[in-house]
Amino acid sequence: MSSKGVIGFAILAAMLAAALLARWIAPTDPNEQDILNGLAAPFSRGETGNVAILGTDRLGQDVLSRIIYGARVSLIVAFGAVGLSAVIGIAAGCVAGFMGRVAQSLVLTATDIVLSIPFVLLALALISALGAGIVNVIVAFAMVRWAQFARITYALALEIREREWFQACRAGGIGFGRTMLVHVLPNMSGPLLVVASLELAYAILMESGLSFLGLGVPPEVPSWGGMLQEGRNEMETAWWLTTLPGTAIMLAAIGFNFLGDWLRDRLDPGLQQVLR
Amino acid sequence: MSAPVLQVEGLSIAVRREGRRLVLTHPTNFALRAAQTTAIVGESGCGKSITALALLNLLRPPLSIAAGRILLRGDNEVQDIAALDPGSPAMRDVRGRQIAMVFQDPMTALDPVYPVGDQIAEGLRRHLNMPRAAAIERAVTLLRQVGIAAPEKRVADYPHQLSGGMRQRVMIAMAIACAPRVLVADEPTTALDVTVQAQILDLLRELQASLGMACLFITHDLGVVAEIADDVIVMYRGTIVERAPVADLLGGPRHPYTQGLLASLPPIDGSRRSLRPIPGQVRPPDEIATGCPFVDRCDRALAVCASIPPPVVALSASHSAACHALAMAG
């Protein structure tokens, strides 16, 4: 496995562990306030004698614990949003690729329109209409990014429908639904996985951006974007409040990007010949 | 002679282009009989492959069946395939069950993500409602029947683990799995080595004899025709120009096009003569022909050939050709 792949998997594993095991590995409750020990620098011994490894914020909440719990929001939003956009986009792409001219132009026009809308503006509009919250962030993301999946799926469909095995399925009397689910989708899975991993990185960035604007999760739920927002006023005095969650966001995005690169290299049959 | 298993009557295929309908094959009649192989010969673009696809009602827009009937004779009923909706369950029950197809390129005709056994089993499960274990067991038997060594091991192999010849054997196993009445083979040996070609042709002939299938064999290779066919249909630009039993056609071709095809092959006996290619090339199908489709390349063209479609001349009970020159001579 390439070093990119190792790094990508390591970061994904660390995030998953943080999200799943937060209750046991976080030093304190993320919302436990310790006002007397507010704005403690990393590794400093506060007035009450507690050492906060990555410091505390104005309310004395432990930054490390909040970052660990924040991984939950990032992962839920990322997988939820990418999962939803993949389901919509793959279905739309297959409709465009296999169902005839009318469906094809409808779907392709829709992707053009959707991809030309600035994502943050659309998310702002949606969330002001629907209200802030994890589910609405996911919906907003899927409403735009399904188009990415739809385009890739459409391109793959054009290729697959000319393959002889696709014809052979039809000639064998295999129904359309079964052909799609059992034969076509698995043959598309490689490129789609690559797209999904890159979209995961994008979703994490978007979630942080929306939380920073106050459009994401409610303030009492620790999230990386929200931490940036809260720490932004103390940037000059308490660097750890913005730098550390910012680093977490960056690492997560890099991790998923590396994973995507590794998958792409790994699944590209031309490259594989060379690597072996 | 027994009643034909599949009878094609007045079949014509059209393509819709920019709102216009363009006829690609002119009303075609032929019949396939049990345990007989009929070969359709012709160069690229003459309508062989779309005729094969039409038999399974597999033409996709903009192609469609414009007219005609394709009658499939079952045990006690006759079904008109051309009248069925291409996407209907009734049509899907015919495909793979009554009429099966073998494709040209074995390298791409198998789904790369499943073991070959599952792909053979899929048809058995779909058409005969076999449970998976029984279907896989049957797949092993079928693989043995098509001459694959150690079939109980090969059944779990993926297509990329097999050679081209073996894959074509797997395709044939898939096609015969449900014991279809008709096997349509669209250039099944074109993509194979010559030695493998011969093996596959032998296999097809054996299977056909033992299973009693009617076989439609699409090819442009007259050597293959000589090997496998009982009857031959020669097509040119969507029209049948000559049909005859294989010995008559290869031994005494009558239509100028068939004669041209044979004259462009080197003789097998080693005698040396210069090959005579047919001059010119096939005109695109959107040039509407009023007379004989072959008129522009024919060395015996008469004045009448350009304006009036040639009549079909019966040269014997089983040999006929569509040609003005023959009509006048006869």
Side-chain angles (χ1 to χ4, degrees), chain A residues 8 31 47 58 64 67 83 137 155 171 179 208 212 248 266:
Chain A
N31 290 324
E47 313 248 326
R58 180 169 289 281
L64 177 61
I67 287 180
V137 172
T179 305
S208 307
F212 181 77
R266 169 86 203 157

Side-chain angles (χ1 to χ4, degrees), chain A residues 161-162 164-168 170-175 178 182-183 186-187, chain B residues 58 60 92 95-96 103-105 108-114 122 126-127:
Chain A
R161 72 179 190 189
E162 298 308 325
E164 273 194 343
W165 60 256
F166 180 72
Q167 301 283 351
R170 302 179 36 172
I174 312 297
R178 184 176 163 87
V182 176
H183 292 283
N187 274 285
Chain B
L58 273 179
R60 277 188 306 187
R92 290 207 307 271
R95 289 183 195 136
F103 286 87
Q104 176 174 353
D105 187 359
T108 62
L110 292 166
D111 186 340
V113 303
Y114 294 102
E122 188 173 22
R126 156 82 178 80
H127 292 294

Side-chain angles (χ1 to χ4, degrees), chain A residues 4-269:
Chain A
K4 267 190 176 180
V6 173
I7 295 172
F9 269 111
I11 292 176
L12 176 63
M15 272 186 86
L16 277 175
L20 293 174
L21 308 174
R23 181 191 292 212
W24 296 282
I25 58 176
T28 66
D29 183 291
N31 290 324
E32 188 186 301
Q33 302 183 357
D34 185 1
I35 304 275
L36 291 178
N37 200 16
L39 292 180
F43 300 110
S44 67
R45 185 173 289 276
E47 313 248 326
T48 45
N50 297 330
V51 177
I53 299 172
L54 296 183
T56 61
D57 64 11
R58 180 169 289 281
L59 298 174
Q61 301 176 119
D62 185 55
V63 170
L64 177 61
S65 303
R66 288 182 75 76
I67 287 180
I68 289 173
Y69 274 87
R72 283 185 173 177
V73 173
S74 287
L75 281 183
I76 290 173
V77 171
F79 280 103
V82 174
L84 188 60
S85 39
V87 169
I88 301 172
I90 292 169
C94 283
V95 165
F98 293 107
M99 296 275 217
R101 286 271 182 84
V102 181
Q104 173 195 331
S105 41
L106 278 178
V107 170
L108 292 185
T109 312
T111 62
D112 283 344
I113 294 173
V114 163
L115 287 178
S116 65
I117 302 173
F119 171 72
V120 175
L121 276 188
L122 185 85
L124 267 172
L126 261 178
I127 286 166
S128 30
L130 302 174
I134 286 193
V135 174
N136 292 342
V137 172
I138 291 175
V139 170
F141 187 89
M143 278 193 64
V144 178
R145 301 306 292 184
W146 68 269
Q148 195 69 22
F149 282 97
R151 283 201 172 167
I152 306 275
T153 308
Y154 171 69
L156 293 168
L158 289 188
E159 192 192 332
I160 281 178
R161 72 179 190 189
E162 298 308 325
R163 298 248 187 99
E164 273 194 343
W165 60 256
F166 180 72
Q167 301 283 351
C169 285
R170 302 179 36 172
I174 312 297
F176 182 75
R178 184 176 163 87
T179 305
M180 286 293 125
L181 291 176
V182 176
H183 292 283
V184 171
L185 271 187
N187 274 285
M188 291 178 163
S189 60
L192 287 178
L193 272 176
V194 175
V195 176
S197 61
L198 300 178
E199 287 293 301
L200 282 171
Y202 190 62
I204 283 178
L205 293 178
M206 281 303 137
E207 183 276 323
S208 307
L210 290 177
S211 292
F212 181 77
L213 294 174
L215 299 173
V217 293
E220 70 273 15
V221 180
S223 74
W224 297 343
M227 291 172 75
L228 281 184
Q229 148 75 10
E230 290 154 16
R232 141 185 93 93
N233 291 329
E234 277 95 9
M235 201 129 77
E236 281 165 26
T237 49
W239 57 268
W240 57 92
L241 293 186
T242 43
T243 313
L244 298 176
T247 309
I249 294 169
M250 186 189 74
L251 283 177
I254 288 179
F256 282 112
N257 269 314
F258 278 9
L259 210 58
D261 285 352
W262 173 77
L263 265 177
R264 189 181 47 209
D265 295 348
R266 169 86 203 157
L267 296 172
D268 185 337

Side-chain angles (χ1 to χ4, degrees), chain B residues 51-73:
Chain B
T51 303
L53 286 176
L55 294 192
L56 285 142
N57 210 340
L58 273 179
L59 296 174
R60 277 188 306 187
L63 289 169
S64 64
I65 295 176
R69 301 199 293 171
I70 301 167
L71 300 175
L72 175 70
R73 202 171 304 273

Side-chain angles (χ1 to χ4, degrees), chain B residues 102 206 265 320:
Chain B
V102 176
E206 272 168 38
L265 289 177
S320 65

